[in-house]
Amino acid sequence: MNKPNDLLCHVDADDIDCNDSPNDHFNTILNARLSRRSLLRGSFASAATAVLGATGLSACGGDNGPIDPVPPVSPAPAPEKLLAFSAVSKSLADTVVVPAGYTATVLYALGDPLSATTPAFKNDGTDGDFEQRAGDHHDGMEFFGLTAAGTPSTSSSDRGLLAINHEATTDEQLSSFFLHPTGGTTTLPRPAAEVDKEVALHGVAIVEVKKSGSAWQYVKESPFNRRLTALSDMELSGPARGNALLVTKYSPTGVRTRGTLNNCGTGKTPWGTFLTGEENWSGYFARGADDDAARGNDKSVVALKRYGRSQGARTRHGWETGGSDDKYARWNNSKLGASANGSDDYRNEMNGMGYIVEIDPYDKARTARKRTGLGRFAHESAAFSVPAAGQPLAVYMGDDSRNEYIYKWVSAAAWSAQDAAPADRLATGDKYLDNGKLYVAKLNADGSGQWIELSLANAAIAAYAAYKFADQGDVVVNARLAADAVGATKMDRPEWCSVNPKNGEVYYSLTNNSNRTVNPSGSSQLAPDSANPRAYTDMKGTSAQNGNPNGHILRMKEGAGAAQATSFTWDVYLFGAEASADAGKVNLSNLTADQDFSSPDGLAFSPYTGICWIQTDDGAYTDVTNCMMLAAIPGQVGDGGKVTLNYAQASGATLAVDTFVGKKAAPDTLKRFLVGPVGSEITGIAETPDGKTMFVNIQHPGENTSQANLADPSKYTSQWPSNAGYGAGKRPRSATIVITKNDGGRIGS
């Protein structure tokens, strides 16, 4: 969720500065240079863009000869050209804009019923039964095919399951105000009925979708439909299973926990299961004002602070005040019981959140598993290396908070092709995701880097003075502290990551960082470095935005050993910037008006076309355009060159930093494909195997509406999707849209 009244409004509420380790950024300080917005913004509309459009194709036939007739012969079809569409212009309209020749329609929105007996959504705040409805804040998602008989399929393109994250709710103060009749309670304690509704709106949905003729619909009565919420029973697996840090009143043996929370990015395993990342979960937990002393100021206090929970911390929604029932008490992370191990309270409850969770979308009887080996932090997506028989699998991940780290997991087991269609999908997950090695990245100023193993066998971790690790379970539960210990590189909020299927290179979106500064003071401010090289001032109207407000996309090429390599090279694929920004300091990728963007977030390569899709969650450029999605055809690490940025320090000294910039964008390698409604984030992407249908999520349209204006729809900053003809009421709703090409071609061609 986002902080109100923040110039970079799309900064998550839990994206707080809790990384006070001394890890540096190559000790190279640059000078920020003022970059002001041009007064001339250009046109917001183009005749080449539309919400709905159509194109026609005609075929040619050969002539028959007069003596010996032969069958008509059609010329060979022209080769498919990717990014052949006309770029969408920037837009401030309250609608979804896609290129001419494409159609976008709403498929599944907040509150839609997922069973035949659940009433239609009224969208007036009176609806209930959200355990059987679409949750809120649609985020990452994946498509899992179904045959006509309802069995798993890797080739079906007209029927399947969408596994969709429902990350959070749109809030002002404590209340998710669009979801309650008069806006909800904004003081403590919170009513139980409001808390129960908000808890149910979080989590994951599995929903069947199918194509009928040329139209897609979700199947309300499908037996596959289900919700997993913040109260659903979950199993803990991997090295932390049964660890003392996971003992709670709910699970005295430390093998289970309740719920998945703040689900953001996703992953799809090579064996056909769904991975969901738990991102900004810490802000849901409270700590008492004297909890440090209650804990005896033991090492748990260090860990809690490192994960953003100092004593006296209030929660995002006040769910712990909903009543005396255990389901409310679990949100209080204070030491309240007398036991030595935490089996009589929820002092360890927060340690059960922050993982990659594996779900079998086809089997609702199977309990989801939290894969603790992949580390505990603010997870976004989980991207697999290209599977190679006989070689381990790597899973790439990022920790989405300012100044956090990039990670990868390498399986102990080598990939076997027969595991692509296993009899037991979760057991296959046990094989590849419970045993292996967790690494964190250190990026060097010369464009090289190392993967450093997070293990007690690493002397830096075993001897770390700030926190004494007990075992490997402790290392993965407190992965941030282990990464601090080995000197990992602090990054500008690592968001989604994806692997280029053509060459195996790994791409990370670094969305922004308001704490990059030329003259840092305090542990939370950082000087720019080679991998995060910009610290500048950008103007949004008359307001100055400092740091790296527009973000960038990093890419990495593994060294010898591919997925299990311990070294890599890197460069910056793209720098987010407005087209008019200083080309020597800010717009280093030479973006034009058809390409400029800010705050990259969602990032995914299509396995079918190879297009890299880039989605934004922005607050820096929203005076000019709503958030967007772009299509890109990247090159490879090293296709650009080294750039030296020279800046003056406050002391008057001139310092230089080298960075490595990918080949500059061109019209045939990067284009804007979609712009969303007002106040929305564009996030989540999935495709059918034929590449002809794309699913995209529109999250929190109208999020900047004030609760004081709830009774007057004319004052909502967005009325989407009701203004697109979808559903009852005018309160804005997060939703999944489906995009098709009118000529039946593949998306992005």
Side-chain angles (χ1 to χ4, degrees):
M1 303 306 298
N2 307 310
K3 294 180 181 178
N5 303 318
D6 191 354
L7 290 175
L8 289 179
C9 69
H10 288 272
V11 176
D12 292 314
D14 291 315
D15 176 25
I16 53 183
D17 297 310
C18 50
N19 188 350
D20 57 3
S21 70
N23 297 349
D24 63 28
H25 285 260
F26 322 126
N27 297 316
T28 304
I29 300 176
L30 306 180
N31 181 45
R33 179 171 180 176
L34 184 66
S35 174
R36 306 183 67 89
R37 294 200 186 283
S38 169
L39 295 177
L40 298 177
R41 298 298 189 188
S43 174
F44 292 118
S46 169
T49 63
V51 176
L52 300 178
T55 60
L57 297 177
S58 59
C60 298
D63 292 333
N64 292 334
I67 300 176
D68 297 311
V70 295
V73 177
S74 298
E80 179 185 57
K81 181 181 179 182
L82 298 179
L83 274 58
F85 58 89
S86 297
V88 168
S89 297
K90 294 183 280 283
S91 171
L92 291 171
D94 192 27
T95 188
V96 174
V97 186
V98 294
Y102 286 81
T103 298
T105 56
V106 181
L107 178 69
Y108 162 86
L110 162 68
D112 281 346
L114 293 176
S115 72
T117 58
T118 305
F121 189 58
K122 296 188 290 293
N123 196 24
D124 60 2
T126 64
D127 301 281
D129 302 320
F130 276 94
E131 295 84 356
Q132 296 296 323
R133 295 185 184 277
D136 202 357
H137 282 211
H138 301 46
D139 208 308
M141 64 181 161
E142 304 288 345
F143 179 85
F144 298 88
L146 285 171
T147 66
T151 58
S153 170
T154 58
S155 60
S156 175
S157 291
D158 56 10
R159 183 188 180 194
L161 304 175
L162 283 177
I164 303 174
N165 284 343
H166 290 295
E167 182 183 16
T169 52
T170 300
D171 309 318
E172 185 174 276
Q173 299 180 45
L174 294 169
S175 174
S176 305
F177 65 94
F178 278 128
L179 304 172
H180 306 299
T182 58
T185 305
T186 59
T187 58
L188 298 177
R190 297 287 312 285
E194 291 184 4
V195 172
D196 292 346
K197 182 184 290 190
E198 292 169 9
V199 169
L201 282 157
H202 288 68
V204 173
I206 310 296
V207 56
E208 182 180 343
V209 295
K210 69 177 182 180
K211 186 177 181 181
S212 178
S214 61
W216 282 84
Q217 61 186 5
Y218 88 94
V219 183
K220 185 175 80 169
E221 68 280 3
S222 172
F224 289 102
N225 291 352
R226 59 172 159 147
R227 287 288 318 285
L228 293 89
T229 74
L231 286 177
S232 300
D233 185 57
M234 303 270 167
E235 184 176 349
L236 295 161
S237 69
R241 177 180 172 84
N243 193 278
L245 295 175
L246 293 167
V247 169
T248 65
K249 186 177 178 180
Y250 180 76
S251 181
T253 58
V255 298
R256 306 187 84 79
T257 190
R258 271 178 297 190
T260 185
L261 192 65
N262 217 252
N263 304 81
C264 192
T266 60
K268 187 175 184 179
T269 69
W271 51 94
T273 58
F274 176 65
L275 300 183
T276 177
E278 298 176 329
E279 188 196 1
N280 287 322
W281 37 271
S282 70
Y284 291 80
F285 294 91
R287 281 190 70 206
D290 58 354
D291 192 47
D292 286 2
R295 292 172 178 266
N297 284 295
D298 64 10
K299 71 175 191 177
S300 70
V301 172
V302 176
L304 285 161
K305 290 179 178 178
R306 182 63 180 86
Y307 281 85
R309 291 290 91 183
S310 296
Q311 67 176 1
R314 294 183 60 186
T315 60
R316 179 180 296 180
H317 298 294
W319 289 349
E320 75 282 4
T321 69
S324 59
D325 191 281
D326 192 64
K327 66 181 179 180
Y328 309 118
R330 57 90 60 114
W331 302 110
N332 188 338
N333 210 40
S334 304
K335 182 182 182 298
L336 302 174
S339 70
N341 66 356
S343 59
D344 57 352
D345 60 17
Y346 289 101
R347 73 189 75 165
N348 294 326
E349 180 74 358
M350 201 173 83
N351 292 338
M353 292 288 180
Y355 300 103
I356 292 294
V357 185
E358 185 177 12
I359 301 167
D360 186 341
Y362 296 108
D363 190 349
K364 63 171 58 178
R366 302 299 298 276
T367 302
R369 297 182 186 176
K370 298 198 176 190
R371 302 297 184 182
T372 65
L374 278 64
R376 173 175 163 266
F377 41 86
H379 276 282
E380 287 279 348
S381 58
F384 281 83
S385 59
V386 178
Q391 298 295 319
L393 293 173
V395 184
Y396 299 93
M397 302 165 288
D399 185 352
D400 179 17
S401 280
R402 289 188 292 264
N403 311 333
E404 292 299 346
Y405 305 126
I406 285 172
Y407 299 82
K408 84 167 176 177
W409 164 265
V410 178
S411 66
W415 174 246
S416 173
Q418 64 186 9
D419 284 335
D424 188 327
R425 287 175 288 274
L426 288 182
T428 305
D430 295 342
K431 176 179 177 180
Y432 293 106
L433 300 179
D434 281 349
N435 296 290
K437 295 179 179 180
L438 182 64
Y439 296 85
V440 70
K442 182 175 180 63
L443 291 87
N444 302 318
D446 62 357
S448 67
Q450 290 80 43
W451 291 111
I452 305 172
E453 185 181 355
L454 300 182
S455 166
L456 277 177
N458 187 317
I461 293 175
Y464 190 46
Y467 183 89
K468 181 63 175 176
F469 292 94
D471 47 39
Q472 189 61 22
D474 197 348
V475 170
V476 297
V477 168
N478 291 296
R480 283 179 173 175
L481 285 163
D484 292 345
V486 301
T489 301
K490 298 177 181 179
M491 305 297 292
D492 286 355
R493 292 185 59 199
E495 288 262 7
W496 290 42
C497 57
S498 190
V499 173
N500 187 338
K502 293 184 177 180
N503 59 20
E505 293 182 353
V506 190
Y507 286 61
Y508 278 91
S509 56
L510 303 172
T511 192
N512 55 53
N513 190 348
S514 58
N515 281 349
R516 287 284 170 188
T517 179
V518 176
N519 298 292
S521 61
S523 60
S524 65
Q525 291 191 338
L526 297 173
D529 59 48
S530 291
N532 307 273
R534 296 183 304 172
Y536 55 99
T537 298
D538 185 58
M539 301 303 295
K540 182 177 181 181
T542 59
S543 300
Q545 303 171 109
N546 298 309
N548 175 19
N550 302 127
H552 56 288
I553 299 174
L554 185 89
R555 61 185 173 186
M556 306 160 73
K557 179 180 181 179
E558 293 281 30
Q564 57 188 323
T566 56
S567 65
F568 58 86
T569 54
W570 63 268
D571 67 9
V572 177
Y573 165 52
L574 286 174
F575 286 94
E578 58 181 293
S580 61
D582 185 339
K585 301 292 185 182
V586 181
N587 188 11
L588 299 175
S589 298
N590 198 35
L591 303 181
T592 68
D594 287 339
Q595 305 163 323
D596 56 351
F597 66 94
S598 177
S599 296
D601 188 335
L603 179 72
F605 277 89
S606 168
Y608 314 114
T609 62
I611 293 173
C612 180
W613 296 97
I614 302 165
Q615 300 170 317
T616 69
D617 179 16
D618 184 37
Y621 205 19
T622 48
D623 57 331
V624 175
T625 181
N626 300 334
C627 288
M628 64 184 69
M629 184 167 80
L630 303 98
I633 301 177
Q636 59 188 6
V637 171
D639 61 10
K642 183 171 73 174
V643 173
T644 300
L645 301 175
N646 294 294
Y647 297 107
Q649 293 179 285
S651 64
T654 299
L655 297 177
V657 62
D658 292 338
T659 192
F660 301 88
V661 182
K663 184 178 180 180
K664 293 183 178 180
D668 59 350
T669 62
L670 180 67
K671 286 183 180 178
R672 189 178 300 108
F673 179 82
L674 177 152
V675 179
V678 175
S680 68
E681 169 189 350
I682 309 303
T683 182
I685 185 168
E687 291 177 283
T688 53
D690 61 8
K692 296 181 178 181
T693 300
M694 176 179 286
F695 306 94
V696 173
N697 284 325
I698 309 296
Q699 187 183 113
H700 59 61
E703 70 162 349
N704 294 322
T705 300
S706 170
Q707 182 165 338
N709 293 326
L710 183 63
D712 185 356
S714 69
K715 294 182 179 179
Y716 298 169
T717 58
S718 173
Q719 292 185 6
W720 190 90
S722 67
N723 63 7
Y726 189 89
K730 294 186 177 181
R731 297 185 183 194
R733 301 161 68 184
S734 295
T736 302
I737 62 172
V738 57
I739 301 173
T740 54
K741 194 175 182 188
N742 298 345
D743 65 4
R746 297 201 298 174
I747 306 299
S749 63

